């Protein structure tokens, strides 16, 4: 007689499974590099595919699972991109391949290039049959990201090919002196003479800009904007043609009229259009402009006596700065002629380097007591110019559209 | 970036596995990083490619070549 059967099973420890996504092609990594200079990927995945291998390991604490590497045993293999199965995801058809057998079972070969700004999150899922316990163990990995670094993004630099502190000294401004001499009829104006007068001290200051992308100097494909710093974190954009000191802003230089500046700080910004044509800030530099007021002396030069028959008196001021006579001091200085006499103090005559005044206006007398005259000039550096604008804020311009300025 | 077409068996000798590479018959397509970072090779990129019985191509020329030849898997 047979007894009832009692089924006894082997008691296995459950499987402990680890799942990790690994890129097995370090020369074609998950993060590509895109070089916009030649519109190529480095490397191009169509030529050098990227392989993402799910490394699945399994073990049991009781040692009953002999082979830890279980990739060949995987079934129900699926890859997900951005949580959508890759077989149905947009733009992936024909650009991937999945290994379905062998020791690299589950590996994903990617031939799709990823453009800067795109991001793909990959996840692997599969099933592992635990034949010991007769159960299916689900396998789900963490995600790995496919992205691309734009080779150009961090490589734009902007620099000034000029001093960061620009000092404007009207005494050394040969361009202002040239314009004074032409206006006064001292010389005939010409383009050649004007060009010769434009140097580092001229009021028309062109500040060259240098823009590089990587090791290359570039002259197009970007925008330059100029701002005047007005506070700790505030600045105002300056554009040519408006009521300001900006003559021109272009991709290679900034041109300012320094006659209109006492002291300003400026910010220059470099913008590059991104994929959506929006301007993206890449770099910025600062510079400042300050007017220089140097020490000088100013004194009348006519030391001759006044004859009883003289009706008028001429004098000319000599202005010296750092041991040198300033040839045309009216360009940089305001000189006002005055006289003091016994009968009349502080009589103002005219402004300018020279004066001719009528002696009878000075109060000079005919006796020993009052037949003297003190001739002197009051002088000061001329301040920054101003743009001539009307009540609506529009600039007054000449026939060529040049702004009128005045002191 | 430059690309190299060389002998697959010579690439395998220096540890470059076929998985993840396009191949045609006995040839394999590599990118320059795989050669320049290989400790088994020395010299310039051209010298390293020559050691594997291969040639260096630009992106444009290798694309043109594999499209023309066909059979690159």
């Amino acid at each position: 007689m047979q007894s009832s059967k009692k089924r006894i099973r082997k008691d296995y420890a459950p499987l402990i499974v680890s799942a990790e996504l690994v890129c097995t092609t370090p020369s074609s990594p998950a993060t590509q590099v895109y070089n916009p200079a030649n519109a190529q990927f480095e490397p191009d995945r169509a030529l050098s595919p990227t392989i993402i291998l799910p490394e699945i390991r399994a073990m049991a604490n009781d040692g009953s699972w002999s082979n830890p590497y279980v990739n060949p045993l995987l079934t129900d293999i699926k890859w997900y991109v951005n949580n959508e199965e890759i077989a149905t995801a947009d733009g992936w058809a024909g650009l991937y391949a999945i290994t379905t057998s062998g020791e690299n079972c589950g590996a994903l070969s990617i031939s799709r290039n990823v453009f800067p700004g795109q991001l793909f999150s990959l996840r692997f899922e599969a099933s592992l049959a635990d034949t010991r316990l007769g159960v299916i163990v689900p396998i789900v990995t963490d995600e790995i990201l496919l992205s691309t670094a734009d080779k150009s993004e961090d490589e734009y630099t902007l620099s000034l090919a000029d001093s960061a502190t620009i000092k404007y000294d009207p005494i050394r401004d040969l361009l202002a002196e040239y314009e004074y001499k032409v206006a006064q009829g001292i010389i005939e104006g010409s383009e050649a003479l004007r060009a010769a007068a434009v140097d580092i001290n001229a009021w028309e200051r062109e500040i060259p800009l240098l823009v590089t992308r990587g090791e290359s100097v570039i002259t197009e494909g970007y925008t330059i904007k100029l701002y005047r710093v007005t506070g700790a974190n505030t600045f105002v954009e300056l554009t040519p043609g408006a009521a300001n000191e900006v003559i021109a802003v272009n991709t290679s230089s900034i041109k300012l009229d320094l006659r209109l500046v006492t002291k300003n700080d400026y910010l220059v910004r470099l913008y590059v259009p991104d994929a959506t044509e929006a301007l993206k800030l890449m770099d910025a530099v600062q510079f400042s402009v300050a007017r220089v007021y140097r020490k000088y002396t100013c004194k009348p030069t006519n030391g001759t006596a006044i004859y009883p028959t003289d009706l008028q008196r001429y004098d000319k001021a000599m202005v010296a700065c750092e041991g040198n006579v300033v040839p045309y001091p009216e360009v940089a200085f305001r000189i006002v002629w005055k006289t003091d006499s016994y009968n009349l103090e502080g009589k103002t005559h005219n402004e300018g380097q020279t004066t001719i005044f009528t002696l009878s206006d000075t109060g000079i007398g005919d006796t020993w007591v009052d037949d003297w005259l003190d001739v002197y000039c009051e002088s000061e550096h001329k301040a920054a110019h101003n743009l001539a604008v009307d009540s609506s804020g529009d600039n007054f311009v000449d026939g060529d559209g040049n702004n009128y300025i005045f002191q | 970036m430059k690309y190299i077409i060389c002998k697959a068996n010579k690439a395998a000798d220096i540890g470059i596995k076929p998985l993840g590479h396009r191949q045609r018959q006995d040839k394999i397509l590599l990118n320059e990083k795989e050669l320049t970072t290989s400790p088994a090779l020395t010299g310039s990129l051209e010298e390293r490619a020559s050691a594997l019985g291969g040639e260096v191509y630009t992106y444009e020329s290798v694309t043109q070549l594999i499209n023309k030849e066909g059979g690159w898997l």
Side-chain angles (χ1 to χ4, degrees):
Chain A
M1 182 175 112
Q2 193 179 48
S3 72
S4 59
K5 295 178 183 176
K6 185 176 182 184
R7 181 157 291 181
I8 305 168
R9 286 190 177 275
K10 285 185 180 176
D11 186 15
Y12 292 110
L15 271 185
I16 300 170
V17 178
S18 70
E20 185 186 5
L21 291 179
V22 174
C23 177
T24 62
T25 51
S27 59
S28 184
T31 300
Q32 273 183 300
V33 172
Y34 177 69
N35 187 351
N38 54 17
Q40 289 179 12
F41 291 90
E42 296 176 358
D44 190 305
R45 287 198 176 119
L47 301 174
S48 282
T50 296
I51 306 293
I52 307 293
L53 174 68
E55 284 193 345
I56 315 297
R57 301 272 192 272
M59 61 90 74
N61 283 336
D62 57 5
S64 59
W65 188 270
S66 57
N67 187 2
Y69 190 71
V70 295
N71 277 62
L73 304 177
L74 297 174
T75 57
D76 294 327
I77 293 167
K78 287 193 175 72
W79 278 95
Y80 292 84
V81 56
N82 293 346
N83 292 319
E84 189 181 350
E85 200 176 337
I86 197 170
T88 56
D90 237 2
W92 282 89
L95 296 175
Y96 72 95
I98 300 175
T99 305
T100 54
S101 63
E103 63 175 15
N104 296 313
C105 182
L108 177 69
S109 174
I110 302 166
S111 306
R112 177 175 181 170
N113 291 313
V114 176
F115 283 90
Q118 285 185 315
L119 203 63
F120 294 110
S121 164
L122 298 175
R123 187 178 76 249
F124 174 79
E125 292 185 6
S127 298
L128 173 65
D130 183 351
T131 53
R132 303 167 309 145
L133 298 174
V135 298
I136 302 293
V137 178
I139 310 287
V140 179
T141 66
D142 286 336
E143 293 174 339
I144 192 169
L145 289 178
L146 293 184
S147 62
T148 297
D150 187 332
K151 196 168 183 177
S152 69
E153 275 192 349
D154 297 331
E155 294 183 348
Y156 280 98
T157 59
L158 169 67
S159 53
L160 300 176
D162 202 335
S163 170
T165 305
I166 296 171
K167 292 184 180 176
Y168 174 59
D169 186 349
I171 298 175
R172 292 197 167 122
D173 188 349
L174 294 179
L175 180 58
E177 183 179 299
Y178 159 81
E179 291 173 338
Y180 172 85
K181 284 154 68 173
V182 169
Q184 297 294 319
I186 300 171
I187 61 171
E188 194 77 25
S190 74
E191 285 298 323
L193 284 176
R194 189 188 191 281
V198 175
D199 62 8
I200 198 170
N201 297 306
W203 59 261
E204 190 180 87
R205 183 68 169 255
E206 185 164 19
I207 302 162
L209 303 174
L210 187 68
V211 178
T212 61
R213 187 175 67 200
E215 295 177 357
S216 307
V217 174
I218 57 173
T219 56
E220 57 184 8
Y222 58 88
T223 300
I224 297 292
K225 293 191 179 185
L226 176 67
Y227 301 83
R228 185 190 302 126
V229 178
T230 54
N233 293 305
T234 57
F235 37 84
V236 173
E237 186 175 356
L238 301 177
T239 51
N244 56 43
E245 63 272 34
V246 180
I247 300 173
V249 176
N250 56 53
T251 55
S252 59
S253 67
I254 290 169
K255 196 182 275 189
L256 300 178
D257 185 339
L258 301 185
R259 296 173 301 183
L260 299 171
V261 179
T262 300
K263 184 181 183 316
N264 281 335
D265 295 315
Y266 298 93
L267 177 68
V268 186
R269 283 181 157 180
L270 168 67
Y271 289 90
V272 173
D274 64 15
T276 63
E277 295 301 312
L279 291 182
K280 189 175 171 186
L281 177 62
M282 287 297 181
D283 200 4
V285 291
Q286 277 191 276
F287 69 95
S288 63
V289 174
R291 201 173 180 87
V292 174
Y293 300 102
R294 288 198 284 154
K295 280 187 181 176
Y296 68 96
T297 58
C298 175
K299 50 188 175 185
T301 54
N302 187 356
T304 60
I306 301 169
Y307 291 97
T309 53
D310 286 345
L311 296 176
Q312 290 181 314
R313 183 160 179 89
Y314 165 84
D315 211 330
K316 183 176 180 179
M318 184 182 79
V319 177
C321 182
E322 293 178 357
N324 297 314
V325 173
V326 179
Y328 302 97
E330 285 177 316
V331 176
F333 298 96
R334 172 166 283 109
I335 302 168
V336 177
W337 291 93
K338 292 191 168 182
T339 55
D340 287 343
S341 66
Y342 182 86
N343 300 307
L344 184 60
E345 281 189 3
K347 169 68 179 174
T348 302
H349 295 282
N350 66 289
E351 179 184 332
Q353 187 184 12
T354 60
T355 184
I356 299 177
F357 54 85
T358 304
L359 287 166
S360 61
D361 292 338
T362 65
I364 191 170
D366 297 315
T367 70
W368 167 254
V369 171
D370 60 5
D371 67 351
W372 55 266
L373 198 62
D374 286 336
V375 181
Y376 60 100
C377 23
E378 288 185 347
S379 62
E380 61 179 358
H381 281 278
K382 284 186 174 176
H385 291 56
N386 295 290
L387 280 163
V389 295
D390 64 13
S391 56
S392 310
D394 297 321
N395 297 354
F396 283 107
V397 296
D398 63 11
D400 296 323
N402 300 311
N403 290 330
Y404 277 118
I405 62 174
F406 67 97
Q407 289 178 315
Chain B
M1 174 166 273
K2 300 279 176 63
Y3 296 87
I4 298 93
I5 294 178
C6 65
K7 299 278 188 192
N9 58 346
K10 292 199 173 180
D13 288 343
I14 63 165
I16 296 176
K17 296 177 184 174
L19 178 66
H21 294 94
R22 297 188 69 173
Q23 298 178 73
R24 179 179 184 270
Q25 295 170 359
D26 63 338
K27 294 180 186 171
I28 191 169
L29 173 60
L30 309 175
N31 69 55
E32 65 178 50
K33 284 188 199 173
E34 296 180 273
L35 266 62
T36 56
T37 57
S38 171
L41 299 170
T42 56
S44 66
L45 179 63
E46 287 72 18
E47 288 168 345
R48 290 171 183 241
S50 179
L52 299 183
E55 265 185 67
V56 179
Y57 297 87
T58 61
Y59 168 78
E60 290 83 8
S61 59
V62 79
T63 304
Q64 205 171 16
L65 178 70
I66 64 177
N67 287 341
K68 185 181 172 186
E69 283 185 345
W72 282 88
L73 301 175

